[in-house]
Amino acid sequence: MQDGSHLESKRRPGGRTARNRAAVLDATLAELVEHGYAETSMEKIAMRAGVATSTVYRRWTNLEGVIQDLAHRFADDAGVPNGGESFPDSGDLETDLRALAGAFLTIYAHVAQRVWLDVMVAAAVRDPAARETLSAVVASRIRETSLLVRRAIDRGEVPADTDAEEVIRMVAAPFYYRMLVTAEPIDSALADRVAAMAAHAARAGILVRRATPPEQ
Amino acid sequence: MQDGSHLESKRRPGGRTARNRAAVLDATLAELVEHGYAETSMEKIAMRAGVATSTVYRRWTNLEGVIQDLAHRFADDAGVPNGGESFPDSGDLETDLRALAGAFLTIYAHVAQRVWLDVMVAAAVRDPAARETLSAVVASRIRETSLLVRRAIDRGEVPADTDAEEVIRMVAAPFYYRMLVTAEPIDSALADRVAAMAAHAARAGILVRRATPPEQ
């Protein structure tokens, strides 16, 4: 395993609660990188972060909760929207999806996030608990960002029965595919291409909630 | 590590060369599953298969060659085209892509193939040699299957500067994304949806070789 100490974040502003959160998330990433998912526990995270185990359980409930929050921090750092007002709203789905894909680029350029994803994917292929945590974290991000698509539905830009989360998945999939499988470049041309492809497919009624695409 | 013995293939027809190939590929899969990529070697494969190490080197050159051939066997078993005549040729890109995506479904339903992919992806996230082997195997499949798209170019169904391999990647990515990241269902509705999406994007000139998509 690599040494995770270089992954610790810069000092963040805020009071004791914010400092504790930062310390716990840094400790979680370092434990994951150094010891893998299977060996990471709430107790070891608390010890490494120098906070009481009860504090960690109170705030995050379980390991999945801490890892979810870690993924949120990566997204916040990359400027990926995670709340209603912070979403781009250009009035055009393709433009909004391009902004989202651009934020993916920032996340994937972030060493700590890449390391986190590598650890989680490697664990997920053989550990159902890790698989469940990874898919829960990703599902939560997809749910949040699908607001972009629901707005396009409200505007009438795409059919009312568009599967908003499926549109986001189609934007995300080529990034993960390149990162985990083909090792091909992840760049702004890719972001433009997937945003255009997903927006076209949504407008053409291909990404609707029914099981089969419409006749053409 | 799991026990790979149940993954050995049924007895295949053919002469001694075919039997040797089958034994070597079975042994490769079993070694990968039981000991992981880093511990798998040409020598251990030959010993397990009961053939001379020199035979293995002569036919496959190196570990990447054996793993590539193993992936070919999975594809052959699933009916994925890997030679000019065996490709579907309906005269319509979306129909051909749907047939290809349907073959992906068969591959992904194949336990041995899933195990192989899991082993390779888990190894790739921390081992550059495994990463290179995985991406070489996938790149080779993409190159071969992109014939479907080159035929659509020749027919004038999609723009002449369409990036044929990128169309195939856009079909493949959602399958890998679900398998490795979101753990969501992989079914024929997905195959239909990605085939329609990629064909639409190709026809709209979104998947061309230039770095940026055309103005709309």
Side-chain angles (χ1 to χ4, degrees), chain A residues 166 170 211, chain B residues 101 105 171 174-176 178 184-196:
Chain A
E166 186 72 346
M170 293 303 185
Chain B
L105 290 182
V171 173
F175 288 90
Y176 285 92
R178 285 170 184 250
E184 284 163 321
I186 291 175
D187 55 19
S188 65
L190 178 66
D192 291 347
R193 203 180 294 132
V194 296

Side-chain angles (χ1 to χ4, degrees), chain B residues 84-108:
Chain B
E85 298 92 55
S86 64
F87 277 72
D89 189 4
S90 67
D92 174 68
L93 178 61
E94 182 172 336
T95 306
D96 287 353
L97 291 178
R98 195 179 298 128
L100 177 67
F104 286 170
L105 290 182
T106 310
I107 290 188
Y108 299 142

Side-chain angles (χ1 to χ4, degrees), chain A residues 197 200-201 204 206 216, chain B residues 92-98 149 152 155 157-159 162 166-168 170-171 191-207:
Chain A
M197 179 180 71
H200 268 251
I206 292 166
Q216 292 172 51
Chain B
D92 174 68
L93 178 61
E94 182 172 336
T95 306
D96 287 353
L97 291 178
R98 195 179 298 128
V149 186
R155 286 193 299 269
E157 187 182 346
V158 298
T162 297
E166 185 72 346
V167 177
I168 301 296
M170 292 303 184
V171 173
D192 291 347
R193 203 180 294 132
V194 296
M197 180 181 72
H200 267 251
R203 287 197 293 259
I206 292 167
L207 303 178

Side-chain angles (χ1 to χ4, degrees), chain B residues 131-169:
Chain B
R131 150 75 53 224
E132 207 168 302
T133 297
L134 177 61
S135 63
V137 168
V138 171
S140 155
R141 304 303 304 175
I142 291 171
R143 213 163 29 243
E144 289 164 3
T145 46
S146 69
L147 175 59
L148 299 182
V149 186
R150 293 197 305 276
R151 283 183 182 155
I153 295 172
D154 292 344
R155 286 193 299 269
E157 187 182 346
V158 298
D161 58 349
T162 297
D163 183 338
E165 298 186 6
E166 185 72 346
V167 177
I168 301 296
R169 280 185 212 106

